[in-house]
Amino acid sequence: MKTLTVFTPAYNRAYCINRLYSSLCKQTCKDFVWLVVDDGSTDNTREIIEGWMAENIIDIRYFFKGNGGMHTAHNYAYQRIDTEINTCIDSDDFMPLSAVASILDCWNVVKDDSTIA
């Protein structure tokens, strides 16, 4: 099982989500799953994500739900996350190449620290 979930709420983001996907494919550490919650898109977001899933470059989990707004997409994602930690990256953003490695390095330092509330 992966350690980190990067989750992305998406609504009609076919025109810009490629930048995020590209940055995830280039991560120096692959110990993550990308969970995409499509919040009722009417463009070809689904087809794009499914195409990337078929490429099998990174672990992608895709879910489609009726449009309810970003907060409902967040709640939907949290119900499906099964990794130790998670982070949200918006569909029009990207992650620097060592972002996953940095997140996991920090996690490994603090995860067993009982002084952190």
Side-chain angles (χ1 to χ4, degrees):
M1 181 189 325
K2 305 286 183 169
T3 305
L4 173 68
T5 295
V6 175
F7 75 91
T8 301
Y11 177 73
N12 288 342
R13 298 309 233 168
Y15 72 95
C16 67
I17 200 166
N18 184 63
R19 180 176 164 196
L20 174 55
Y21 173 69
S22 178
S23 75
L24 292 172
C25 288
K26 295 175 185 173
Q27 289 299 302
T28 59
C29 175
K30 303 291 189 195
D31 187 10
F32 71 94
V33 59
W34 186 28
L35 191 154
V36 179
V37 177
D38 185 336
D39 190 37
S41 293
T42 57
D43 64 2
N44 63 330
T45 297
R46 177 193 301 259
E47 291 79 12
I48 289 171
I49 302 295
E50 288 176 346
W52 293 334
M53 291 171 73
E55 290 175 358
N56 202 32
I57 295 172
I58 60 172
D59 186 357
I60 302 172
R61 298 178 193 162
Y62 173 81
F63 297 95
F64 183 91
K65 61 176 259 347
N67 182 258
M70 185 182 291
H71 66 288
T72 66
H74 277 248
N75 291 338
Y76 196 91
Y78 284 125
Q79 293 170 356
R80 285 151 183 84
I81 292 170
D82 60 2
T83 56
E84 287 182 59
I85 57 175
N86 66 81
T87 188
C88 179
I89 304 296
D90 288 334
S91 55
D92 62 350
D93 210 341
F94 70 97
M95 292 183 78
L97 300 181
S98 62
V100 169
S102 295
I103 291 167
L104 295 178
D105 286 347
C106 289
W107 175 241
N108 286 326
V109 169
V110 302
K111 69 180 177 182
D112 295 322
D113 188 341
S114 63
T115 64
I116 298 174

